[in-house]
Amino acid sequence: MSNNKTLKDVFDKQKQTNERPSRQEEIEDILQVIGFIVGNEEFAVPILNVIEIVKPIEYTRVPGTPNYVLGVFNLRGNVFPLINLRLKFGIPSAKQDKDTRYLVVRHNDQIAGFVIDKLTEAIRIKKSDIDPVPETLAEQDNLMYGVGKREDRLVTILKIETLLKRDF
């Protein structure tokens, strides 16, 4: 429940910031993302695509889907696919622990839950601090929007539309 409160605080703060027209130019230059850990890497998705972050709940296996699709889960009467990002990214599976969360994201009318190892923080990155995906990686159907530079680390920003693309 504390994560929902944190998300609400972030949205409230964002709304207040957006209501100040004098900072409009500055605001357009910033991408707000939710950071999370999968394996040893930090990733992020645009905050506007995040519906909810929940602690792990029961899910049902669905036969005939790739190994990274754990199945489907029921969130308040709606059934969504549940995808293990470790397996999707080719990282060995790990046992869920106290930090494991389901990141429920939306792009247009597609919604899915992604199993993440740990939530980090809401991050504001200047668009000028986001490097495009290197050419060598950009050729395949890439999940990466870009790489955000923080003071002490890099954060891989994922494309929601590619992440949600069904290949099963």
Side-chain angles (χ1 to χ4, degrees):
M1 202 64 179
S2 62
N3 282 336
N4 287 350
K5 179 158 177 35
T6 312
L7 208 52
K8 185 182 181 321
D9 293 342
V10 171
F11 284 131
D12 289 346
K13 193 183 294 179
Q14 181 183 2
K15 194 191 284 180
Q16 289 167 2
T17 307
N18 287 341
E19 288 168 0
R20 288 188 221 131
S22 61
R23 295 185 55 205
Q24 195 61 37
E25 300 81 29
E26 190 181 319
I27 291 164
E28 288 168 4
D29 191 34
I30 289 183
L31 179 66
Q32 296 186 51
V33 295
I34 292 284
F36 57 91
I37 305 287
V38 174
N40 298 322
E41 301 292 320
E42 186 168 14
F43 296 94
V45 292
I47 200 167
L48 296 175
N49 292 101
V50 176
I51 298 175
E52 194 165 349
I53 298 158
V54 295
K55 286 186 173 179
I57 54 178
E58 274 187 46
Y59 61 88
T60 305
R61 286 276 321 141
V62 177
T65 57
N67 71 332
Y68 61 82
V69 179
L70 296 180
V72 293
F73 68 107
N74 183 337
L75 188 63
R76 280 185 281 297
N78 295 303
V79 176
F80 304 117
L82 182 62
I83 294 166
N84 184 327
L85 280 183
R86 278 177 157 266
L87 295 175
K88 184 156 178 82
F89 294 165
I91 302 169
S93 187
K95 193 168 176 5
Q96 294 187 359
D97 62 21
K98 63 176 179 41
D99 291 327
T100 304
R101 295 290 180 270
Y102 292 176
L103 186 67
V104 185
V105 297
R106 165 190 308 206
H107 178 70
N108 297 333
D109 58 351
Q110 290 188 302
I111 299 174
F114 294 95
V115 179
I116 59 172
D117 295 341
K118 182 179 186 173
L119 197 61
T120 54
E121 60 184 330
I123 306 169
R124 295 168 58 92
I125 300 181
K126 286 189 186 142
K127 290 197 176 168
S128 59
D129 286 339
I130 299 173
D131 284 354
V133 178
E135 286 291 315
T136 52
L137 298 175
E139 291 163 8
Q140 66 252 45
D141 192 16
N142 203 287
L143 289 171
M144 293 168 44
Y145 166 79
V147 179
K149 294 180 292 226
R150 306 271 295 156
E151 311 78 49
D152 56 342
R153 64 191 195 272
L154 297 175
V155 179
T156 303
I157 301 164
L158 301 173
K159 282 188 207 163
I160 290 294
E161 60 275 17
T162 310
L163 205 54
L164 286 172
K165 196 175 284 172
R166 296 242 171 125
D167 48 9
F168 55 89

